[in-house]
Amino acid sequence: MSDTTVYDRFDHAAAAIAQQVIDWRHHLHQHPELSNREAATAHMITEHLRSLGLDEVRTGIAGHGVVGILHGGRPGDRVIALRADIDALPVEDESGVPFASRVVDENYPGGPFPVSHACGHDCHTACLMGAAQVLAEARDALPGTVLFVFQPAEEGPPVEEKGGARQMLAEGALDDPEPTMAFGFHVVPLPKGYIGVREGNQFGASSLVKITLTGRQVHGSTPWMGIDTMPAAGAILTGIGQIYRQVSAFDPVTVTIGHIEDVGRFNIVGQTTTLWGTIRCSVESDMSEVQRRVETLAAGCASAYNCTGTVEYLQDVPAVHNTRPWVDAAMATLERVAGADRVRHTDPTLGYDDVSEFVNRYGGLYVTLGVQDLEFDDAGAPHPTAGGRGVYFNHNPHFYADDDTLVTGVRMHCHIAYDHLTGALVAQG
C-alpha cells in the first residue's frame, strides 16, 4: 500500500466520522469539568478507546488522565505521543451556541465557579478521539506505536493539588513505550483551517505567583488600631505593571494579578490579603529576573505600609519550544493536511501550555489550528470576515470554534503520526 493510498484512507475515514467528532465536541462543551475534576470526561474517553480494541488503555493517571496504546500491524521502533488536554475553565459561557455550558461547580476550591470550554479543549479531545478511531481502523498500515495521551489539568490544578503533564510523567505514564516524538495542537483565533507554526517558542514560560500580605486585623472604624494590608496591595498592583520596563524591551514579559482575596467583610481591616497572578516570559531565561523583581516590589510595598509580604512561585511551566529540525521535518506533512498556502509562520505569544513537558523531553512539535471567522489581509494580519462571528481569544467568555474545522484536526493527528512512524517526519541534526 503506497503512502498516498494511506493518506487517502485517513482522509476518507476522518470525513466519515466528522459528524461524530462534532457530536463528541458538543457533548464535552455542554458538560465541562475543571482541572483535576474531569471524571466524566475521562470516562467518556476511556469507553471510546476501549471500544476500538486498542492494545492497552491506562486510566487514573495524574488524577483523570487516560493513555491509549495502539501497536501498529507493521514492524517499527518509533513511538509517537498524540496529546490532547481535557479540562475546562472557570469562565461563564457566552458563546451563544445551542450547546453552551450552564454548568456551575459549587465545590471547587475558591468557588463556586461557572465552567466552560472557553479555551477549546473540547475540540482537542474530540479530535484526538476521532484520530484514535481512524488510526485503529488503519492499524495494518502503521509501523511502530501510537500513544493517545489525554491530559488533565492543563490549566493548572488547585494549588494544593498535583496534576497536569508533569504529574503524568512523574507517574510513568509514557515510560513504556517511551515516545520518540510528541505532537499536539491548540485551536486559536486564526482563519478556519489554517495551521500556525513557529520556530522557537510557540508559547511562553509561565509561573503562578502568590503574594501574601500580613497586617493586624481590626474594625474598619479604627484603622489606626491595626495594620491595613490594602494600601500595600494597591501599591503592588500599581508597581507590578511597570516591571516590563525593567527587563529588555525586545523580549516580552508580563506580570498579571488576576485574583485578590481578603477577609471578605466590608467593615474589617483584614489580617491578610493574598494576591494571585501569573508571570509570562517569551524568553525562559528571563523568568528568574522577573521573579526577583516581583519579590523586591512586594517586600518594599509591604514595608512602606508597615506590614509584611511573602512571595511564592508555584506551577512553573517551561516554554513550548519548537526546534528548527522538527519544524522543517513537519512542513511537508502540515502542507499536505491544510494546503501549502494555508500553513503560516506565526508570531510568538505569552500564552502557556504544559505540553512543553512532553515536547521538551521527547522532542516533537506543537502547532495551532485556526477555527474562527477570520481572513488574512494583504499584510498577512488576520481580521474578522464580513458577516462572521468576529474574533474572540481563548479564555474569553465569547470564545467559539467552527465545527467544520475539527476534521482538519483529526487528519493532522493521523498524517503526523504516520509520517513519524514511517520515518518521513524525523528531526535531523
Side-chain angles (χ1 to χ4, degrees):
M1 184 181 295
S2 70
D3 289 345
T4 301
T5 303
V6 175
Y7 299 141
D8 288 342
R9 183 176 176 184
F10 291 157
D11 294 346
H12 291 150
I17 64 167
Q19 187 57 53
Q20 178 63 72
V21 172
I22 292 171
D23 291 344
W24 285 328
R25 186 255 166 151
H26 288 188
H27 176 84
L28 292 164
H29 194 91
Q30 278 192 305
H31 302 89
E33 295 171 300
L34 294 173
S35 300
N36 272 10
R37 304 296 187 272
E38 312 94 335
T41 302
H43 178 75
M44 176 181 173
I45 294 165
T46 300
E47 291 299 299
H48 175 63
L49 295 184
R50 286 176 174 161
S51 75
L52 301 177
L54 302 186
D55 295 276
E56 185 180 354
V57 179
R58 301 171 181 169
T59 63
I61 306 166
H64 299 293
V66 181
V67 176
I69 302 175
L70 174 67
H71 296 305
R74 296 167 52 194
D77 296 328
R78 294 186 179 88
V79 179
I80 186 165
L82 303 175
R83 178 270 201 174
D85 36 16
I86 67 175
D87 55 329
L89 285 164
V91 174
E92 190 169 356
D93 191 338
E94 298 179 7
S95 62
V97 295
F99 51 91
S101 169
R102 296 294 177 261
V103 172
V104 175
D105 190 324
E106 299 283 353
N107 301 312
Y108 204 74
F113 294 113
V115 187
S116 75
H117 274 293
C119 200
H121 295 186
D122 52 335
C123 300
H124 306 164
T125 301
C127 287
L128 189 53
M129 290 172 67
Q133 182 164 330
V134 171
L135 291 170
E137 292 172 354
R139 179 198 296 259
D140 60 287
L142 302 178
T145 300
V146 184
L147 307 180
F148 305 102
V149 181
F150 294 87
Q151 181 210 310
E154 186 278 329
E155 298 291 353
V159 293
E160 67 275 10
E161 301 177 16
K162 296 180 179 180
R166 186 172 298 174
Q167 187 62 25
M168 290 191 82
L169 293 175
E171 295 182 15
L174 306 183
D175 286 354
D176 183 22
E178 186 172 285
T180 53
M181 177 185 181
F183 174 76
F185 68 85
H186 206 299
V187 295
V188 296
L190 284 175
K192 293 183 289 189
Y194 277 75
I195 295 173
V197 62
R198 174 175 172 75
E199 177 187 329
N201 285 355
Q202 178 80 60
F203 291 89
S206 171
S207 178
L208 188 157
V209 57
K210 176 185 179 182
I211 302 173
T212 304
L213 300 170
T214 304
R216 187 165 64 243
Q217 186 163 317
V218 71
H219 195 281
S221 64
T222 56
W224 60 89
M225 302 287 291
I227 299 175
D228 192 351
T229 58
M230 283 298 182
I236 291 171
L237 289 174
T238 300
I240 216 160
Q242 294 296 308
I243 287 179
Y244 79 95
R245 301 185 65 197
Q246 301 171 28
V247 295
S248 172
F250 298 99
D251 298 321
V253 304
T254 186
V255 186
T256 299
I257 299 298
H259 184 58
I260 300 177
E261 298 174 342
D262 70 347
V263 71
R265 178 70 180 170
F266 70 94
N267 62 346
I268 296 176
V269 172
Q271 183 83 5
T272 61
T273 299
T274 306
L275 291 74
W276 297 88
T278 183
I279 302 173
R280 304 295 173 89
C281 298
S282 60
V283 176
E284 199 159 348
S285 58
D286 287 341
M287 181 62 75
S288 60
E289 176 64 14
V290 176
Q291 289 178 335
R292 185 184 70 82
R293 291 183 180 276
V294 170
E295 291 174 12
T296 300
L297 174 69
C301 291
S303 177
Y305 289 97
N306 202 31
C307 57
T308 60
T310 61
V311 180
E312 299 173 71
Y313 297 110
L314 310 166
Q315 298 182 0
D316 58 302
V317 176
V320 180
H321 188 78
N322 290 331
T323 64
R324 182 172 182 177
W326 281 109
V327 172
D328 289 346
M331 286 305 294
T333 308
L334 299 176
E335 290 177 354
R336 185 192 322 118
V337 170
D341 61 337
R342 297 172 73 85
V343 178
R344 295 291 185 105
H345 290 272
T346 53
D347 294 329
T349 172
L350 289 175
Y352 86 90
D353 194 307
D354 69 350
V355 71
S356 56
E357 300 284 356
F358 301 130
V359 173
N360 291 358
R361 177 174 292 201
Y362 304 114
L365 193 68
Y366 198 61
V367 302
T368 57
L369 176 64
V371 292
Q372 293 194 356
D373 298 332
L374 309 177
E375 58 189 5
F376 287 108
D377 60 23
D378 293 340
H383 63 87
T385 304
R389 288 167 286 180
V391 55
Y392 292 102
F393 284 84
N394 307 70
H395 290 218
N396 186 297
H398 297 278
F399 177 82
Y400 70 93
D402 180 78
D403 284 334
D404 293 338
T405 310
L406 300 182
V407 69
T408 302
V410 176
R411 294 176 54 241
M412 183 158 50
H413 275 308
C414 295
H415 284 243
I416 289 282
Y418 180 78
D419 282 357
H420 179 64
L421 298 182
T422 58
L425 199 173
V426 179
Q428 303 295 328

